[in-house]
């Protein structure tokens, strides 16, 4: 993290390393989608992510990060983020966000998706597809000269138009040598406000969208964030690079995400 809230501009060499680590994280996330089904535990997911991360020559950044005990976050249904993998068994109709962050040659790549377990309910589809589409709209704002506030404005406008709410307590973040660098990327905001984006910035956008209200509380494990009202919550995350012409999705996937991208036309994206 740089002092005084200054945002780091990555060099060409750093950008190449960010491309590599982000691509490896994206591959792990794609493979997780094949593992998800009713009857497995969130620990099974962690075991898979841990092994797969190491197999790609990376380290799992969450493990021992500020005392976090596992290699990924698994956030089921009303869990907003930072769910700790454990004995919880996935049931038909659940939704689960799996958030993976890899470290490779000193750089971080951070990405997450919400997956459907078995057959989803209408409510599960609504909140999950709202989260997926709101990330896409946020990403579309990313180009040199745009304002940080444009990202949050685009996300908030869409999510609220679908009757959902946007979590305030957790934000996207700059990323590079540090897991969490400046700037903080709010998922709510006002058009035309905030600092301007510049080529060479790398940061995440990771909106958490709730079916009910945006309030969250933290469980006694000091990590798990749940919706205050018990409503469903969904999240997607990409690591992005601001280019001279727009944006590169560093954690983009080459194929459709198993157990997740199963409603391709839910909201037209073009
Ligand atoms: N991957 C999360 C993020 O998107 C951070 C997880 S911190 C952990 O920023 F310690 F819970 F892993
Ligand atoms: Co992140
Ligand atoms: Co993450």
């Amino acid at each position: 993290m740089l002092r005084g809230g200054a945002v780091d501009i990555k060099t060409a060499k750093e950008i190449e390393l960010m491309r590599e680590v982000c691509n490896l994280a994206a591959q792990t996330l794609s493979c997780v989608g094949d593992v998800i089904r009713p009857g497995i535990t969130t620990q099974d997911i962690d075991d898979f992510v841990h092994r797969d991360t190491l197999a790609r020559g990376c380290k799992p950044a969450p493990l021992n990060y500020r005392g976090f005990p596992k290699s990924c976050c698994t956030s089921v249904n009303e869990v907003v983020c930072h769910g700790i993998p454990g004995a919880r068994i996935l049931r038909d109709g659940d939704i689960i966000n799996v958030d993976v962050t890899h470290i490779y040659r000193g750089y971080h790549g951070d990405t997450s998706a919400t997956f459907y377990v078995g057959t989803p309910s209408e409510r599960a589809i609504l909140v999950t597809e709202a989260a997926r589409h709101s990330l896409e709209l946020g990403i579309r704002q990313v180009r040199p000269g745009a304002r940080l506030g444009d990202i949050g404005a685009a996300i908030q406008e869409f999510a609220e138009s679908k009757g959902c709410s946007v979590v305030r307590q957790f934000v996207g973040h700059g990323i590079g040598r540090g897991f969490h660098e400046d700037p903080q990327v709010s998922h709510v905001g006002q058009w035309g406000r905030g600092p301007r984006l510049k080529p060479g910035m790398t940061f995440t956008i990771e909106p958490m969208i709730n079916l009910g209200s945006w309030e969250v509380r933290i469980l006694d494990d000091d990590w798990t964030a749940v919706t205050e009202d018990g409503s469903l919550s969904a999240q997607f995350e990409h690591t992005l690079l601001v280019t001279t012409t727009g944006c590169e999705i560093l954690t983009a996937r080459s194929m459709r995400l198993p157990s997740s991208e199963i409603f391709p036309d839910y909201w037209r994206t073009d």
Side-chain angles (χ1 to χ4, degrees):
M1 180 106 64
L2 299 181
R3 244 175 248 214
V7 175
D8 192 25
I9 301 298
K10 267 66 180 178
T11 64
K13 202 174 207 166
E14 288 183 292
I15 288 168
E16 207 36 61
L17 290 167
M18 286 298 289
R19 282 199 182 99
E20 285 189 54
V21 65
C22 287
N23 183 245
L24 293 164
Q27 289 179 41
T28 296
L29 191 67
S30 288
C31 293
V32 167
D34 281 324
V35 170
I36 289 174
R37 58 179 187 279
I40 67 164
T41 65
T42 52
Q43 182 59 52
D44 292 331
I45 294 171
D46 191 69
D47 290 343
F48 177 84
V49 168
H50 186 85
R51 277 198 301 267
D52 190 84
T53 304
L54 296 183
R56 294 176 196 281
C58 302
K59 283 200 308 192
L63 188 58
N64 302 319
Y65 176 78
R66 299 186 182 194
F68 191 80
K70 300 286 177 172
S71 295
C72 65
C73 299
T74 52
S75 303
V76 182
N77 295 344
E78 77 288 352
V79 180
V80 171
C81 64
H82 301 166
I84 303 173
R88 184 168 182 166
I89 297 169
L90 298 184
R91 296 168 44 162
D92 186 62
D94 284 346
I95 54 173
I96 179 172
N97 174 279
V98 181
D99 191 337
V100 306
T101 310
H102 291 191
I103 306 174
Y104 182 69
R105 296 174 66 186
Y107 286 81
H108 291 75
D110 190 3
T111 185
S112 85
T114 297
F115 299 90
Y116 297 111
V117 182
T119 309
S121 65
E122 281 301 321
R123 291 177 315 139
I125 296 169
L126 174 64
V127 72
T128 302
E129 297 311 316
R132 190 195 316 276
H133 195 62
S134 71
L135 170 58
E136 175 145 354
L137 295 176
I139 291 172
R140 268 189 221 172
Q141 296 304 318
V142 178
R143 71 189 98 85
R147 306 281 194 144
L148 209 51
D150 298 340
I151 297 170
I155 291 168
Q156 182 176 15
E157 214 173 80
F158 176 75
E160 292 181 353
S161 80
K162 299 299 172 191
C164 297
S165 68
V166 182
V167 171
R168 271 75 162 151
Q169 194 169 334
F170 301 98
V171 294
H173 49 91
I175 182 165
R177 278 202 172 273
F179 193 164
H180 297 106
E181 301 181 350
D182 282 332
Q184 296 198 14
V185 181
S186 176
H187 305 111
V188 298
Q190 287 178 274
W191 295 104
R193 301 286 181 91
R196 290 190 190 278
L197 305 182
K198 296 197 187 84
M201 289 181 175
T202 51
F203 57 83
T204 73
I205 304 178
E206 47 182 298
M208 286 139 276
I209 306 299
N210 297 350
L211 211 46
S213 88
W214 52 266
E215 278 101 345
V216 308
R217 68 189 170 86
I218 310 295
L219 300 187
D220 286 339
D221 61 19
D222 287 339
W223 279 105
T224 310
V226 298
T227 55
E228 185 75 58
D229 60 10
S231 68
L232 290 177
S233 185
Q235 178 182 24
F236 289 82
E237 173 174 28
H238 274 306
T239 299
L240 309 167
L241 166 71
V242 184
T243 64
T244 54
T245 54
C247 162
E248 186 175 325
I249 303 173
L250 297 175
T251 46
R253 296 171 290 270
S254 52
M255 289 189 303
R256 203 177 277 183
L257 193 60
S259 303
S260 187
E261 290 167 330
I262 58 179
F263 301 104
D265 296 322
Y266 200 80
W267 280 301
R268 278 187 65 89
T269 53
D270 48 337

